Amino acid sequence: MPTRPKERGMDYEQMIATVRQRAGLGENEAVRSVQAVLSVLGERLAGQEADNLAAQLPERLNASVTRNPQGRRWDVGEFLKMVGDREQVANADQVRQHAQAVLRTVAEALNDDERHDLLAQLPGGIIDLFGVPTPRG
């Protein structure tokens, strides 16, 4: 099965800078936040979706996207708890703010088809963190 072509909409530095600005983080904290969110998000996705997501992100972030073909099923609360654990941030409001900054930036980096496919696998609470309209089946 062929993978989708790599159409990267944002380079690594631009992505980190956007997250830094949106979340009010320093360079190292922004990198850690991006890696934590992509790791948890990738683990949540089933099938080839994590590979498809990674293919559209800057290459330096490819390894941050966890691959789990079965996909894990958790709601937004569990998602944010796992992000906070991996990011090593205990404040729930900060974790939500960081996750929103990362996921909004990820949504902007994806083409329309990939964004639709990605959001179609997620529950509403996690979709809300992306700040984009809910996909229609």
Side-chain angles (χ1 to χ4, degrees):
M1 177 176 206
T3 58
R4 294 191 177 160
K6 295 188 179 204
E7 300 172 23
R8 295 199 165 94
M10 201 178 285
D11 68 23
Y12 178 82
E13 289 78 17
Q14 183 182 10
M15 193 163 201
I16 299 302
T18 302
V19 170
R20 283 184 66 185
Q21 179 185 22
R22 288 180 172 164
L25 296 171
E27 178 87 17
N28 292 338
E29 292 84 2
V31 169
R32 188 169 53 237
S33 183
V34 168
Q35 291 171 337
V37 171
L38 289 177
S39 172
V40 176
L41 179 61
E43 210 172 306
R44 177 68 175 71
L45 300 172
Q48 296 294 310
E49 198 55 43
D51 288 330
N52 294 341
L53 168 63
Q56 290 202 14
L57 295 174
E59 205 158 322
R60 287 174 64 183
L61 294 174
N62 192 297
S64 297
V65 180
T66 302
R67 276 39 170 220
N68 180 18
Q70 291 76 37
R72 304 272 304 269
R73 297 289 168 217
W74 50 62
D75 63 19
V76 67
E78 293 167 300
F79 180 87
L80 291 171
K81 181 182 181 330
M82 292 185 72
V83 168
D85 289 349
R86 292 182 192 181
E87 191 180 11
Q88 299 177 336
V89 173
N91 182 298
D93 291 335
Q94 287 180 339
V95 172
R96 178 177 285 275
Q97 180 185 5
H98 299 172
Q100 284 178 316
V102 173
L103 294 175
R104 286 174 189 224
T105 305
V106 165
E108 291 170 5
L110 302 177
N111 69 36
D112 291 342
D113 288 342
E114 183 55 34
R115 185 170 38 252
H116 179 273
D117 291 350
L118 172 69
L119 295 177
Q121 285 203 21
L122 300 172
I126 296 175
I127 291 172
D128 291 345
L129 297 174
F130 283 84
V132 297
T134 304
R136 304 194 197 292

